[in-house]
Amino acid sequence: RIYAAGMVVTAGFIIGFDNETNSVSEAMVDCIKATSIPVCMIGLLAALPNTQLTRRLQKDGRLFRDYEIVNANQGCQSTIGLNFCTLRPRRDIIEDYQRVLQSVYDPAAYFERVRAVGRALNCLDVRRRLHFKKSELLQLARVVWHMGIRTPGLRRHFWGAFVDCAWHNPGAVDQVIRLMALYLHLGRFSLYVIGELNSLTTRIDAGELNVPPSIIPLSAVG
């Protein structure tokens, strides 16, 4: 219904809740595929100050000391989280996170979702201009160059989604191009995050992260 109203959906997903099971990654990937949401911001659960989650974790004696302080050397925003004692093994949560990123931002999976959006998006009531500004043409040329010509791994997926949309729903072509262009960042960034997560699991296996930071004592709970 949202796509039928002409709106494009982006969504955020969080991993690390207490009630999760080992099937959370599979269920999350299935949800993203079923809803055809191309842009998915996925991250680890973090306890934030002055929230119900933080108060509960503090009361249970699971909140790390200095949980609200972010060190610039800890990594990117997507890997900063789990600043508390998790009920599931920390390594399992991180591996689930990796599996979701790998599945969701695999080129074939991402562009298949874009293709689905291109068919479902209702653009019949949107007036399209028949002329483009010079800056818009330049941006389009850059996207075509980087995705449709220069990068072999994306070329087939780019032209497949573009032709499919142009044939079945030409009014949505501009939205589809925007979604495909986002992959130039999202694809590379997902690989970076996966690399950071690999470093975390390596440190866990080496015993460097098995002992959590000091916990806020229960006596400190207000």
Side-chain angles (χ1 to χ4, degrees):
R1 291 184 179 181
I2 295 174
Y3 291 140
M7 293 184 288
V8 175
V9 179
T10 61
F13 297 85
I14 298 177
I15 296 178
F17 289 98
D18 287 350
N19 59 350
E20 287 177 353
T21 64
N22 290 333
S23 62
V24 63
S25 59
E26 181 180 353
M28 191 172 290
V29 171
D30 289 344
C31 172
I32 293 170
K33 181 178 180 180
T35 52
S36 300
I37 302 176
V39 180
C40 303
M41 308 306 294
I42 307 163
L44 295 170
L45 179 64
L48 303 178
N50 300 317
T51 61
Q52 199 67 7
L53 173 63
T54 295
R55 286 188 283 271
R56 177 172 65 82
L57 292 171
Q58 191 177 36
K59 183 178 180 180
D60 294 343
R62 297 167 55 197
L63 190 63
F64 292 167
R65 191 182 298 277
D66 297 329
Y67 71 95
E68 75 278 22
I69 299 176
V70 177
N71 190 325
N73 297 324
Q74 286 180 310
C76 69
Q77 183 178 359
S78 297
T79 58
I80 295 175
L82 304 182
N83 52 354
F84 56 91
C85 287
T86 60
L87 295 186
R88 280 205 302 152
R90 185 169 296 260
R91 195 185 196 284
D92 291 352
I93 297 174
I94 293 173
E95 285 187 331
D96 280 333
Y97 185 18
Q98 285 179 299
R99 279 192 286 270
V100 173
L101 284 176
Q102 289 169 340
S103 298
V104 168
Y105 285 111
D106 174 78
Y110 182 87
F111 283 86
E112 181 60 32
R113 298 197 303 276
V114 171
R115 186 188 298 233
V117 172
R119 290 201 179 195
L121 205 61
N122 183 357
C123 299
L124 296 179
D125 296 331
V126 180
R127 294 182 180 274
R128 300 294 171 185
R129 291 174 298 149
L130 297 179
H131 62 280
F132 298 91
K133 297 179 182 179
K134 182 178 179 180
S135 59
E136 292 175 329
L137 289 174
L138 181 59
Q139 293 172 358
L140 176 60
R142 287 175 176 172
V143 172
V144 172
W145 167 250
H146 285 288
M147 307 189 77
I149 300 175
R150 183 181 180 184
T151 310
L154 298 180
R155 190 182 302 152
R156 174 171 57 89
H157 304 296
F158 173 84
W159 287 116
F162 180 86
V163 172
D164 188 86
C165 182
W167 178 261
H168 293 282
N169 190 12
V173 165
D174 58 340
Q175 293 289 351
V176 164
I177 290 176
R178 288 188 178 94
L179 290 172
M180 292 193 294
L182 287 173
Y183 191 78
L184 290 172
H185 165 71
L186 295 172
R188 287 194 292 261
F189 185 67
S190 66
L191 294 176
Y192 168 77
V193 174
I194 291 170
E196 291 290 306
L197 296 173
N198 284 333
S199 298
L200 285 177
T201 55
T202 299
R203 293 177 64 191
I204 291 175
D205 293 340
E208 298 177 10
L209 293 180
N210 286 339
V211 180
S214 56
I215 305 296
I216 296 178
L218 292 178
S219 59
V221 178

